[in-house]
mmCIF file of all heavy atoms in Angstrom:
data_model
loop_
_atom_site.group_PDB
_atom_site.id
_atom_site.type_symbol
_atom_site.label_atom_id
_atom_site.label_comp_id
_atom_site.label_asym_id
_atom_site.label_seq_id
_atom_site.Cartn_x
_atom_site.Cartn_y
_atom_site.Cartn_z
ATOM 1 N N MET A 1 7.528 19.887 -16.495
ATOM 2 C CA MET A 1 6.725 18.728 -16.083
ATOM 3 C C MET A 1 5.724 18.350 -17.180
ATOM 4 O O MET A 1 5.016 19.197 -17.703
ATOM 5 C CB MET A 1 5.972 19.086 -14.801
ATOM 6 C CG MET A 1 5.607 17.870 -13.987
ATOM 7 S SD MET A 1 4.602 18.292 -12.553
ATOM 8 C CE MET A 1 5.780 18.065 -11.237
ATOM 9 N N SER A 2 5.689 17.079 -17.552
ATOM 10 C CA SER A 2 4.787 16.658 -18.620
ATOM 11 C C SER A 2 3.371 16.445 -18.084
ATOM 12 O O SER A 2 3.150 16.401 -16.884
ATOM 13 C CB SER A 2 5.296 15.356 -19.242
ATOM 14 O OG SER A 2 4.991 14.276 -18.383
ATOM 15 N N GLU A 3 2.440 16.297 -19.016
ATOM 16 C CA GLU A 3 1.040 16.040 -18.627
ATOM 17 C C GLU A 3 0.910 14.783 -17.783
ATOM 18 O O GLU A 3 0.147 14.726 -16.846
ATOM 19 C CB GLU A 3 0.195 15.796 -19.885
ATOM 20 C CG GLU A 3 -0.240 17.027 -20.611
ATOM 21 C CD GLU A 3 -0.858 16.646 -21.946
ATOM 22 O OE1 GLU A 3 -1.655 15.686 -21.965
ATOM 23 O OE2 GLU A 3 -0.534 17.308 -22.939
ATOM 24 N N HIS A 4 1.697 13.751 -18.188
ATOM 25 C CA HIS A 4 1.618 12.472 -17.478
ATOM 26 C C HIS A 4 1.951 12.641 -16.011
ATOM 27 O O HIS A 4 1.360 12.033 -15.151
ATOM 28 C CB HIS A 4 2.581 11.462 -18.097
ATOM 29 C CG HIS A 4 2.211 11.103 -19.494
ATOM 30 N ND1 HIS A 4 0.938 10.790 -19.847
ATOM 31 C CD2 HIS A 4 2.956 11.003 -20.606
ATOM 32 C CE1 HIS A 4 0.903 10.512 -21.140
ATOM 33 N NE2 HIS A 4 2.115 10.641 -21.626
ATOM 34 N N GLN A 5 2.965 13.474 -15.749
ATOM 35 C CA GLN A 5 3.403 13.657 -14.370
ATOM 36 C C GLN A 5 2.307 14.308 -13.542
ATOM 37 O O GLN A 5 2.201 14.066 -12.355
ATOM 38 C CB GLN A 5 4.676 14.501 -14.326
ATOM 39 C CG GLN A 5 5.868 13.716 -14.860
ATOM 40 C CD GLN A 5 7.098 14.563 -15.007
ATOM 41 O OE1 GLN A 5 7.026 15.783 -14.911
ATOM 42 N NE2 GLN A 5 8.219 13.930 -15.227
ATOM 43 N N GLU A 6 1.492 15.136 -14.182
ATOM 44 C CA GLU A 6 0.382 15.763 -13.478
ATOM 45 C C GLU A 6 -0.660 14.713 -13.095
ATOM 46 O O GLU A 6 -1.228 14.731 -12.028
ATOM 47 C CB GLU A 6 -0.315 16.794 -14.378
ATOM 48 C CG GLU A 6 0.569 17.923 -14.849
ATOM 49 C CD GLU A 6 0.740 18.988 -13.799
ATOM 50 O OE1 GLU A 6 -0.183 19.153 -12.987
ATOM 51 O OE2 GLU A 6 1.790 19.640 -13.787
ATOM 52 N N GLU A 7 -0.878 13.804 -14.039
ATOM 53 C CA GLU A 7 -2.001 12.890 -13.904
ATOM 54 C C GLU A 7 -1.683 11.651 -13.067
ATOM 55 O O GLU A 7 -2.544 11.135 -12.372
ATOM 56 C CB GLU A 7 -2.451 12.463 -15.310
ATOM 57 C CG GLU A 7 -3.748 11.714 -15.329
ATOM 58 C CD GLU A 7 -4.169 11.360 -16.745
ATOM 59 O OE1 GLU A 7 -3.557 11.886 -17.711
ATOM 60 O OE2 GLU A 7 -5.094 10.565 -16.879
ATOM 61 N N PHE A 8 -0.439 11.186 -13.148
ATOM 62 C CA PHE A 8 -0.104 9.909 -12.517
ATOM 63 C C PHE A 8 0.863 10.056 -11.352
ATOM 64 O O PHE A 8 1.847 10.775 -11.439
ATOM 65 C CB PHE A 8 0.488 8.949 -13.547
ATOM 66 C CG PHE A 8 -0.471 8.611 -14.656
ATOM 67 C CD1 PHE A 8 -0.232 9.047 -15.950
ATOM 68 C CD2 PHE A 8 -1.624 7.887 -14.391
ATOM 69 C CE1 PHE A 8 -1.129 8.761 -16.964
ATOM 70 C CE2 PHE A 8 -2.527 7.594 -15.397
ATOM 71 C CZ PHE A 8 -2.280 8.033 -16.698
ATOM 72 N N ALA A 9 0.566 9.360 -10.283
ATOM 73 C CA ALA A 9 1.464 9.333 -9.125
ATOM 74 C C ALA A 9 2.572 8.312 -9.345
ATOM 75 O O ALA A 9 3.706 8.514 -8.943
ATOM 76 C CB ALA A 9 0.672 8.998 -7.865
ATOM 77 N N ILE A 10 2.204 7.196 -9.981
ATOM 78 C CA ILE A 10 3.174 6.125 -10.239
ATOM 79 C C ILE A 10 3.015 5.669 -11.681
ATOM 80 O O ILE A 10 1.893 5.449 -12.147
ATOM 81 C CB ILE A 10 2.918 4.905 -9.315
ATOM 82 C CG1 ILE A 10 2.966 5.309 -7.838
ATOM 83 C CG2 ILE A 10 3.928 3.796 -9.594
ATOM 84 C CD1 ILE A 10 2.494 4.219 -6.882
ATOM 85 N N ARG A 11 4.146 5.580 -12.385
ATOM 86 C CA ARG A 11 4.120 5.032 -13.741
ATOM 87 C C ARG A 11 5.175 3.952 -13.833
ATOM 88 O O ARG A 11 6.357 4.202 -13.588
ATOM 89 C CB ARG A 11 4.441 6.110 -14.787
ATOM 90 C CG ARG A 11 3.547 7.329 -14.708
ATOM 91 C CD ARG A 11 3.709 8.176 -15.941
ATOM 92 N NE ARG A 11 2.846 7.671 -16.979
ATOM 93 C CZ ARG A 11 3.139 7.704 -18.280
ATOM 94 N NH1 ARG A 11 4.280 8.163 -18.700
ATOM 95 N NH2 ARG A 11 2.269 7.238 -19.163
ATOM 96 N N VAL A 12 4.739 2.762 -14.180
ATOM 97 C CA VAL A 12 5.649 1.631 -14.320
ATOM 98 C C VAL A 12 5.565 1.157 -15.768
ATOM 99 O O VAL A 12 4.470 0.974 -16.298
ATOM 100 C CB VAL A 12 5.236 0.480 -13.369
ATOM 101 C CG1 VAL A 12 6.141 -0.724 -13.545
ATOM 102 C CG2 VAL A 12 5.251 0.952 -11.911
ATOM 103 N N ARG A 13 6.732 1.005 -16.401
ATOM 104 C CA ARG A 13 6.758 0.556 -17.795
ATOM 105 C C ARG A 13 7.714 -0.615 -17.976
ATOM 106 O O ARG A 13 8.882 -0.511 -17.614
ATOM 107 C CB ARG A 13 7.243 1.706 -18.714
ATOM 108 C CG ARG A 13 6.204 2.777 -18.992
ATOM 109 C CD ARG A 13 5.038 2.237 -19.814
ATOM 110 N NE ARG A 13 3.928 3.182 -19.844
ATOM 111 C CZ ARG A 13 3.043 3.346 -18.873
ATOM 112 N NH1 ARG A 13 3.112 2.626 -17.780
ATOM 113 N NH2 ARG A 13 2.076 4.222 -18.974
ATOM 114 N N ASP A 14 7.184 -1.706 -18.535
ATOM 115 C CA ASP A 14 8.021 -2.849 -18.938
ATOM 116 C C ASP A 14 8.930 -3.353 -17.827
ATOM 117 O O ASP A 14 10.075 -3.732 -18.069
ATOM 118 C CB ASP A 14 8.893 -2.457 -20.149
ATOM 119 C CG ASP A 14 8.121 -2.592 -21.440
ATOM 120 O OD1 ASP A 14 7.329 -3.550 -21.546
ATOM 121 O OD2 ASP A 14 8.307 -1.730 -22.320
ATOM 122 N N LEU A 15 8.402 -3.372 -16.633
ATOM 123 C CA LEU A 15 9.221 -3.740 -15.474
ATOM 124 C C LEU A 15 9.533 -5.240 -15.454
ATOM 125 O O LEU A 15 8.637 -6.070 -15.577
ATOM 126 C CB LEU A 15 8.481 -3.352 -14.185
ATOM 127 C CG LEU A 15 9.191 -3.679 -12.875
ATOM 128 C CD1 LEU A 15 10.482 -2.891 -12.743
ATOM 129 C CD2 LEU A 15 8.268 -3.387 -11.689
ATOM 130 N N VAL A 16 10.808 -5.547 -15.330
ATOM 131 C CA VAL A 16 11.236 -6.944 -15.205
ATOM 132 C C VAL A 16 11.999 -7.085 -13.893
ATOM 133 O O VAL A 16 12.947 -6.347 -13.636
ATOM 134 C CB VAL A 16 12.140 -7.369 -16.387
ATOM 135 C CG1 VAL A 16 12.560 -8.839 -16.241
ATOM 136 C CG2 VAL A 16 11.435 -7.144 -17.718
ATOM 137 N N VAL A 17 11.524 -8.010 -13.044
ATOM 138 C CA VAL A 17 12.198 -8.267 -11.769
ATOM 139 C C VAL A 17 12.283 -9.774 -11.577
ATOM 140 O O VAL A 17 11.317 -10.504 -11.846
ATOM 141 C CB VAL A 17 11.422 -7.655 -10.574
ATOM 142 C CG1 VAL A 17 12.130 -7.988 -9.256
ATOM 143 C CG2 VAL A 17 11.275 -6.149 -10.725
ATOM 144 N N GLY A 18 13.434 -10.243 -11.156
ATOM 145 C CA GLY A 18 13.587 -11.676 -10.915
ATOM 146 C C GLY A 18 14.620 -11.945 -9.843
ATOM 147 O O GLY A 18 15.325 -11.038 -9.393
ATOM 148 N N PHE A 19 14.657 -13.194 -9.438
ATOM 149 C CA PHE A 19 15.642 -13.651 -8.456
ATOM 150 C C PHE A 19 16.256 -14.925 -9.022
ATOM 151 O O PHE A 19 15.525 -15.890 -9.283
ATOM 152 C CB PHE A 19 14.982 -13.945 -7.109
ATOM 153 C CG PHE A 19 14.224 -12.770 -6.545
ATOM 154 C CD1 PHE A 19 12.858 -12.658 -6.725
ATOM 155 C CD2 PHE A 19 14.892 -11.764 -5.857
ATOM 156 C CE1 PHE A 19 12.157 -11.580 -6.219
ATOM 157 C CE2 PHE A 19 14.206 -10.681 -5.350
ATOM 158 C CZ PHE A 19 12.838 -10.585 -5.526
ATOM 159 N N GLY A 20 17.544 -14.944 -9.238
ATOM 160 C CA GLY A 20 18.177 -16.117 -9.834
ATOM 161 C C GLY A 20 17.517 -16.429 -11.169
ATOM 162 O O GLY A 20 17.376 -15.557 -12.024
ATOM 163 N N ARG A 21 17.051 -17.667 -11.311
ATOM 164 C CA ARG A 21 16.428 -18.050 -12.590
ATOM 165 C C ARG A 21 14.945 -17.708 -12.641
ATOM 166 O O ARG A 21 14.302 -17.881 -13.667
ATOM 167 C CB ARG A 21 16.569 -19.557 -12.796
ATOM 168 C CG ARG A 21 17.975 -19.940 -13.144
ATOM 169 C CD ARG A 21 17.968 -21.398 -13.580
ATOM 170 N NE ARG A 21 19.329 -21.893 -13.608
ATOM 171 C CZ ARG A 21 19.651 -23.176 -13.524
ATOM 172 N NH1 ARG A 21 18.695 -24.078 -13.404
ATOM 173 N NH2 ARG A 21 20.900 -23.553 -13.566
ATOM 174 N N GLN A 22 14.417 -17.282 -11.511
ATOM 175 C CA GLN A 22 12.980 -16.999 -11.443
ATOM 176 C C GLN A 22 12.673 -15.574 -11.922
ATOM 177 O O GLN A 22 13.261 -14.615 -11.436
ATOM 178 C CB GLN A 22 12.512 -17.156 -9.989
ATOM 179 C CG GLN A 22 11.026 -16.946 -9.802
ATOM 180 C CD GLN A 22 10.640 -16.862 -8.330
ATOM 181 O OE1 GLN A 22 11.482 -16.687 -7.442
ATOM 182 N NE2 GLN A 22 9.349 -16.975 -8.067
ATOM 183 N N THR A 23 11.765 -15.453 -12.883
ATOM 184 C CA THR A 23 11.282 -14.132 -13.277
ATOM 185 C C THR A 23 9.950 -13.918 -12.580
ATOM 186 O O THR A 23 9.025 -14.712 -12.762
ATOM 187 C CB THR A 23 11.093 -14.039 -14.802
ATOM 188 O OG1 THR A 23 12.359 -14.273 -15.398
ATOM 189 C CG2 THR A 23 10.581 -12.676 -15.219
ATOM 190 N N VAL A 24 9.864 -12.879 -11.743
ATOM 191 C CA VAL A 24 8.633 -12.638 -10.985
ATOM 192 C C VAL A 24 7.738 -11.648 -11.733
ATOM 193 O O VAL A 24 6.542 -11.887 -11.913
ATOM 194 C CB VAL A 24 8.952 -12.136 -9.562
ATOM 195 C CG1 VAL A 24 7.670 -11.822 -8.796
ATOM 196 C CG2 VAL A 24 9.783 -13.173 -8.808
ATOM 197 N N LEU A 25 8.306 -10.542 -12.158
ATOM 198 C CA LEU A 25 7.556 -9.543 -12.916
ATOM 199 C C LEU A 25 8.133 -9.518 -14.325
ATOM 200 O O LEU A 25 9.341 -9.376 -14.508
ATOM 201 C CB LEU A 25 7.653 -8.171 -12.248
ATOM 202 C CG LEU A 25 7.204 -8.141 -10.778
ATOM 203 C CD1 LEU A 25 7.400 -6.755 -10.187
ATOM 204 C CD2 LEU A 25 5.759 -8.599 -10.620
ATOM 205 N N ASP A 26 7.250 -9.670 -15.312
ATOM 206 C CA ASP A 26 7.699 -9.904 -16.673
ATOM 207 C C ASP A 26 7.115 -8.846 -17.610
ATOM 208 O O ASP A 26 6.024 -9.005 -18.118
ATOM 209 C CB ASP A 26 7.240 -11.314 -17.070
ATOM 210 C CG ASP A 26 7.769 -11.749 -18.408
ATOM 211 O OD1 ASP A 26 8.681 -11.085 -18.935
ATOM 212 O OD2 ASP A 26 7.259 -12.754 -18.942
ATOM 213 N N HIS A 27 7.833 -7.752 -17.784
ATOM 214 C CA HIS A 27 7.375 -6.638 -18.623
ATOM 215 C C HIS A 27 6.027 -6.099 -18.148
ATOM 216 O O HIS A 27 5.068 -6.003 -18.905
ATOM 217 C CB HIS A 27 7.332 -7.042 -20.096
ATOM 218 C CG HIS A 27 8.698 -7.390 -20.618
ATOM 219 N ND1 HIS A 27 9.574 -6.436 -21.075
ATOM 220 C CD2 HIS A 27 9.357 -8.564 -20.669
ATOM 221 C CE1 HIS A 27 10.708 -7.020 -21.416
ATOM 222 N NE2 HIS A 27 10.606 -8.313 -21.177
ATOM 223 N N LEU A 28 5.985 -5.783 -16.882
ATOM 224 C CA LEU A 28 4.755 -5.283 -16.259
ATOM 225 C C LEU A 28 4.650 -3.763 -16.427
ATOM 226 O O LEU A 28 5.615 -3.032 -16.222
ATOM 227 C CB LEU A 28 4.776 -5.641 -14.768
ATOM 228 C CG LEU A 28 3.587 -5.171 -13.910
ATOM 229 C CD1 LEU A 28 3.339 -6.168 -12.782
ATOM 230 C CD2 LEU A 28 3.828 -3.776 -13.326
ATOM 231 N N SER A 29 3.468 -3.291 -16.816
ATOM 232 C CA SER A 29 3.202 -1.852 -16.899
ATOM 233 C C SER A 29 1.975 -1.512 -16.070
ATOM 234 O O SER A 29 1.023 -2.295 -16.022
ATOM 235 C CB SER A 29 2.987 -1.422 -18.357
ATOM 236 O OG SER A 29 4.178 -1.637 -19.090
ATOM 237 N N LEU A 30 2.026 -0.354 -15.417
ATOM 238 C CA LEU A 30 0.931 0.038 -14.519
ATOM 239 C C LEU A 30 0.984 1.543 -14.276
ATOM 240 O O LEU A 30 2.056 2.105 -14.065
ATOM 241 C CB LEU A 30 1.112 -0.694 -13.174
ATOM 242 C CG LEU A 30 0.214 -0.274 -12.005
ATOM 243 C CD1 LEU A 30 -1.228 -0.658 -12.279
ATOM 244 C CD2 LEU A 30 0.683 -0.929 -10.702
ATOM 245 N N ASP A 31 -0.176 2.192 -14.348
ATOM 246 C CA ASP A 31 -0.271 3.605 -13.979
ATOM 247 C C ASP A 31 -1.179 3.735 -12.770
ATOM 248 O O ASP A 31 -2.272 3.176 -12.759
ATOM 249 C CB ASP A 31 -0.904 4.435 -15.111
ATOM 250 C CG ASP A 31 0.044 4.619 -16.278
ATOM 251 O OD1 ASP A 31 1.266 4.702 -16.050
ATOM 252 O OD2 ASP A 31 -0.450 4.673 -17.420
#
Side-chain angles (χ1 to χ4, degrees):
M1 204 185 253
S2 77
E3 279 171 44
H4 295 313
Q5 289 172 349
E6 300 280 331
E7 190 178 349
F8 298 112
I10 303 170
R11 305 193 85 213
V12 178
R13 283 294 168 280
D14 277 322
L15 179 64
V16 181
V17 178
F19 304 97
R21 287 190 194 158
Q22 182 190 15
T23 300
V24 177
L25 304 177
D26 186 13
H27 297 276
L28 178 149
S29 296
L30 171 68
D31 287 327

